[in-house]
Structure formats: C-alpha cells, structure tokens
Amino acid sequence: MQMTLRWYGSKYDTVTLKQIRQIPGVTGVISTLYGTAPGEVWEAADILALKKEIQDAGLELAGIESVNVHDAIKVGSPDRDRYIDNYITTLERLGQAGIHMVCYNFMPVFDWTRTELARMRPDGSTVLAYTQKAVDALDPEKMFDSIAGEMNGAVMPGWEPERMARVKELFEMYKDVDDEKLFANLKYFLERIMPVCDKYDINMAIHPDDPAWSVFGLPRIIINKANILRMMKMVDNPHNGVTFCSGSYGTNLENDLPDMIRSLKGRIHFAHVRNLKFNSPDDFEEAAHLSSDGTFDMYEIMRALYETGFSGPIRPDHGRMIWGETAMPGYGLYDRALGAAYLNGLWEAIEKQALRTV
C-alpha cells in the first residue's frame, strides 16, 4: 500500500505540501482540481500543473478525489450523455497525465451528512458528529445553515454554497429516483466510461454513502456488502472498484468491515481508514484512529487489507481538531499525521508477523 494524505490545493488547504512531506511514511497525496464544477471538463494544463506542484514538493499525486459526477447523470436526465462525454474527456486527460485512480461518489444531493462539525470530546478535541435525532428535526433545505458556522471559513467538499443554494431544486430533481433507478443510472454511467478506463488503466473507486442509510428520504445504494457486490457484478470489470471507507461503511454497525474487505478482494482500489465512536446506533462521532478510542478494530481492518493483497493508496480520514489548530473540519494536519503514523505502524507489524509465519 501507499500511505497518502488528502490535499485540497495551495489555494484552499491550510496544510502545506511541505508539512505533508515531513509525515513519516507518507509518500503521496490525493488531490483534485478543487473549485471545478461537476460536469466541467478538466483542462490538461491544470492537471499537469497540479501534478508538477506535488512532485516538486517531493510527493506523488497518487490519485484524484474526486471527479464529481453531475446530477444529470445520477438522475438519468435527457442531457446526461453530454455530461458523461465530458467525464470521459477528463478521464482521458488524467490517463494521459499518468494518473490511474479516481475516487467518486453517486450520492444524491448531499455528498456526506453530519449534524455537528465541532462536537467537544472529553479530551478537549473537537470532531465531526451525527445524530439522527438532529436530522429528523431539520428542514433539509436548512441543513447547510445548521453547520455553516462551524466550517472555520473553509468551503467543504459537497457543501459548496452555490450547490447548497440549489437544495430545493436538487430535491425536486431526485423526487422520482429510487434505489433501483439510481442503480440503473450508475450502471449506464459505468458502462459508458469503462472503455476509457481500460485504455488508460484507470481504476474507478466509488466512495460509499455516508451515513449508510437514507437521509431525508433520498436513495442510498453504496451502503453494504450486498449492494456493493451487486455493483461489482453488474459491471464486471476490474477497473470498476471501490474506495473502502471504514468510517462510511462503519456508520451501519451491521456491516462487518473485515468481512466486506475480504469479499472485495482485487476490487478495492483506494482505502480511507478511520475510526468512529458510537454513543448509540444512530449517534456517532469521529474518534482518533487508535482502536481503543473508538468502536472499530483497526488492526483487523488493516490485516484484512494486507491479506487480500491491497496495494493501492490509503489515507487516514477525518481527524480530530487538536492542539489549537484551525482548519477545515476533519482535515487538519496534526491528528491525520498521527493517524498516518499509527496505520503505518499497524501495517509494519502485520507484514512482519506474516513474514515470520511463512
């Protein structure tokens, strides 16, 4: 595996490439052309400039997170082919630039949902958190307003103000889209893009829905083992794979994370590994990556990845805000650096133990 950190670009991120380069064991970053609208064709010069900036800092651009999918594709509107053609052009340019992994999601309206961005934990750190009770009490059109004051001045992916200003319109777009239609539209999209993925060896890694259940009545399909295996079979191409996000799949405590990893052998192209602490089945908060700080056995998650031959990029995910840092919630430097070091330590121990038993 390759340990990486997500980086939003020098115009948007409080964390610098110089700082990332100093985290032991981190050799690459996962980035994007942040600020590019869904459906917009990425310019080749912009892709190359991003790659060069990262390489000049002594790191590798290990993949893209995300090339966002336009809502017309998700709902299957008559103009979806135009946006798929644009997506294919972007993939061609990424492939020509030597980039071979793209993370994306197929979530309606909200890319992810949290009800708090700065819940105070007993140690004084603050974290992202979710409670179903708070969601049930909210008007979905007011969801953005409920957390906007906790963004620390950042523009958070999936919650861009211009997108949130269209929430009512977006809900109207999805009113006739159920799980089956969303699956059909995903299949159509994947079948269209697989030829360019085959040509340039681009691994498409779908990110799970977060949380792993319907929010505000919207369909959610990338939520469990049965659904993700259905997706693998409906477009049975090795380039059609997943981002295994332990925190997103783990929002549903019925998901057996190590078992899911083993069931997806060869189709996990990217991994987000993080921990959650549950106060009840529908009230959870981000935790430190350490197993004992949350609910998940991080050793078993990493062991499943190792034993299935995972060799792609991996990154720590949403970190706590610690040591007085002010940054995009979940994406500060300090706790994610601790998470990367911890995950690297687990991997080293698992690898050495495996070699000793050979």
Side-chain angles (χ1 to χ4, degrees):
M1 63 91 181
Q2 179 184 18
M3 186 59 65
T4 66
L5 213 70
R6 189 173 187 179
W7 183 66
Y8 288 98
S10 52
K11 292 182 180 179
Y12 302 97
D13 210 317
T14 57
V15 180
T16 67
L17 290 172
K18 181 178 180 181
Q19 290 170 325
I20 294 172
R21 180 69 178 83
Q22 294 170 13
I23 304 171
V26 173
T27 61
V29 297
I30 303 296
S31 194
T32 187
L33 293 184
Y34 200 38
T36 305
E40 184 178 341
V41 174
W42 289 19
E43 296 298 329
D46 294 336
I47 296 168
L48 293 172
L50 176 66
K51 183 177 181 179
K52 183 178 186 302
E53 181 181 10
I54 292 166
Q55 289 178 331
D56 287 350
L59 295 160
E60 178 188 355
L61 178 54
I64 295 294
E65 182 182 352
S66 297
V67 181
N68 290 316
V69 179
H70 195 276
D71 289 291
I73 300 172
K74 296 178 187 179
V75 303
S77 63
D79 57 345
R80 66 177 171 181
D81 283 317
R82 174 164 64 92
Y83 291 109
I84 295 175
D85 289 342
N86 287 353
Y87 205 100
I88 288 170
T89 299
T90 294
L91 290 178
E92 286 175 337
R93 291 175 178 177
L94 289 169
Q96 290 162 1
I99 297 165
H100 301 290
M101 192 284 292
V102 172
C103 174
Y104 70 105
N105 75 72
F106 221 71
M107 286 181 258
V109 185
F110 302 113
D111 280 6
W112 51 272
T113 307
R114 293 292 183 271
T115 55
E116 300 165 68
L117 302 185
R119 178 183 288 183
M120 183 74 72
R121 300 196 75 212
D123 61 6
S125 63
T126 60
V127 294
L128 308 175
Y130 179 98
T131 172
Q132 190 62 43
K133 182 178 179 180
V135 169
D136 292 343
L138 274 173
D139 176 344
E141 293 181 35
K142 304 295 183 183
M143 185 70 198
F144 177 75
D145 297 338
S146 72
I147 61 172
E150 299 179 346
M151 290 184 175
N152 295 332
V155 178
M156 299 193 70
W159 291 83
E160 295 83 3
E162 59 272 18
R163 178 173 176 78
M164 291 301 98
R166 299 175 51 237
V167 165
K168 186 175 182 178
E169 175 190 340
L170 290 169
F171 268 87
E172 182 66 20
M173 285 180 68
Y174 284 94
K175 69 177 183 179
D176 296 322
V177 179
D178 59 11
D179 286 5
E180 289 305 312
K181 188 168 183 180
L182 198 60
F183 260 121
N185 293 339
L186 176 58
K187 183 175 187 287
Y188 183 89
F189 168 68
L190 288 169
E191 288 176 339
R192 284 285 319 277
I193 68 170
M194 280 299 107
V196 72
C197 294
D198 291 339
K199 180 177 179 180
Y200 290 102
D201 190 24
I202 297 173
N203 288 324
M204 297 298 296
I206 195 167
H207 190 283
D209 301 348
D210 191 355
W213 57 76
S214 176
V215 177
F216 300 125
L218 294 165
R220 292 276 173 112
I221 58 175
I222 309 301
I223 58 172
N224 55 30
K225 179 179 176 178
N227 282 21
I228 197 64
L229 290 179
R230 174 182 173 180
M231 178 199 159
M232 297 296 100
K233 291 175 183 176
M234 75 183 190
V235 182
D236 194 8
N237 183 311
H239 290 114
N240 172 31
V242 305
T243 295
F244 193 88
C245 180
S246 63
S248 296
Y249 283 124
T251 57
N252 184 342
L253 289 170
E254 294 181 3
N255 284 334
D256 181 334
L257 301 178
D259 174 68
M260 289 181 72
I261 291 169
R262 290 187 168 92
S263 74
L264 291 164
K265 183 177 181 179
R267 302 290 280 272
I268 298 176
H269 299 319
F270 184 28
H272 296 175
V273 181
R274 59 182 167 95
N275 207 350
L276 295 178
K277 180 177 177 58
F278 282 82
N279 302 304
S280 73
D282 58 9
D283 182 323
F284 60 83
E285 59 196 48
E286 308 288 350
H289 287 74
L290 190 71
S291 295
S292 60
D293 194 55
T295 299
F296 305 149
D297 188 331
M298 306 300 281
Y299 172 85
E300 290 299 333
I301 290 170
M302 293 296 284
R303 187 163 76 95
L305 287 168
Y306 178 84
E307 290 179 350
T308 53
F310 174 73
S311 60
I314 186 172
R315 68 170 179 83
D317 208 350
H318 306 159
R320 302 167 300 149
M321 207 59 67
I322 61 174
W323 302 340
E325 184 177 21
T326 299
M328 182 188 296
Y331 287 98
L333 171 66
Y334 304 138
D335 200 45
R336 288 191 300 152
L338 292 174
Y342 173 63
L343 297 177
N344 266 328
L346 286 176
W347 191 271
E348 180 181 349
I350 292 162
E351 186 173 48
K352 287 183 174 178
Q353 182 62 32
L355 291 174
R356 286 174 183 168
T357 57
V358 173

